[in-house]
């Protein structure tokens, strides 16, 4: 059994969070991470900016601890990268890793989420 | 009673299973249904045959009741259609519904599952 690899990001503040290496990201885990409305919204927001967003900019209708939980599920399943910059925890979509592993998957999920949002808005 | 069995009619009003209408299928539910290795395998098998398969042909390394649970999750989230034909419960992928709602999604998930299976096999 190969030694478990950890993908840690260097952090100016000395703190780092565990991320799966690209080779350890699993489709089932990614789909699980994306199967929640809040987490799907986070991923849509990150995809829209194509960069990093501070946790604090996400205005989710859930508690702070629940928001933290959702980010952790996304990070632990390889969907987002979280890096401390000073006191801020910055988040970015691991789009290159996901695209390399599962070509077209994230794009089709984002398109599906957008189409569904439009449909639900039209129906309400 | 034998007389009744001789007049068995294919009118399964009491034996039909509930399915969400196309308009009620949600992306989050579909992703949840696909986020389990066993359910992903079922979907891959159904996609490969492009038709119906009896539950009994699936050789999953789990108990019969767990298999039944997985099919129910797939059905209740709009991924598969289950129809009784006589005593057999037949399953089919709701590919047209999924494609209409979420263009390209199922295709990219199937491709991703296939690529991952190849990678894991090569690594083992």
């Amino acid at each position: 059994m190969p030694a478990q690899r950890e993908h840690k990001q260097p952090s100016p503040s000395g703190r780092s969070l565990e991320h799966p290496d690209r080779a350890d990201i699993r489709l089932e885990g990614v789909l699980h991470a994306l199967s929640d409305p809040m987490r799907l919204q986070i991923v849509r927001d990150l995809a829209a900016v194509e960069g990093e967003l501070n946790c604090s900019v996400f205005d989710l209708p859930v508690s702070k601890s629940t928001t933290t939980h959702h980010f952790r599920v996304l990070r632990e399943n390889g969907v987002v990268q979280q890096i401390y910059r000073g006191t801020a925890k910055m988040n970015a979509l691991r789009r290159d890793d996901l695209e390399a592993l599962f070509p077209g998957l994230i794009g089709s999920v984002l398109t599906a989420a957008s189409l569904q949002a439009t449909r639900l808005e039209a129906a309400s």
Side-chain angles (χ1 to χ4, degrees), chain A:
Chain A
M1 191 171 149
Q4 191 172 354
R5 288 165 296 176
E6 289 179 2
H7 185 65
K8 291 194 175 183
Q9 294 299 319
S11 160
S13 65
R15 290 177 294 172
S16 63
L17 296 155
E18 285 185 30
H19 293 77
D21 281 341
R22 178 187 287 188
D24 295 325
I25 297 173
R26 290 291 172 272
L27 176 61
E28 295 87 339
V30 170
L31 296 175
H32 166 66
L34 297 172
S35 71
D36 176 274
M38 295 299 117
R39 295 197 292 266
L40 203 49
Q41 187 57 54
I42 291 169
V43 168
R44 294 181 71 195
D45 290 346
L46 289 174
V49 299
E50 296 182 23
E52 292 184 348
L53 284 177
N54 191 319
C55 283
S56 64
V57 307
F58 292 90
D59 185 25
L60 303 175
V62 292
S63 69
K64 189 172 183 306
S65 68
T66 300
T67 299
T68 301
H69 162 77
H70 286 317
F71 274 103
R72 194 177 69 239
V73 172
L74 288 167
R75 170 170 53 80
E76 290 179 346
N77 285 292
V79 179
V80 307
Q81 184 162 330
Q82 294 193 289
I83 303 177
Y84 280 109
R85 298 197 188 283
T87 56
K89 201 193 274 181
M90 303 301 293
N91 304 274
L93 194 58
R94 293 180 66 173
R95 194 147 187 168
D96 289 351
D97 288 326
L98 295 170
E99 195 59 28
L101 291 168
F102 315 120
L105 179 68
I106 284 293
S108 68
V109 169
L110 290 168
T111 300
S114 174
L115 288 170
Q116 175 169 288
T118 304
R119 274 196 302 271
L120 294 180
E121 205 167 314
S124 69

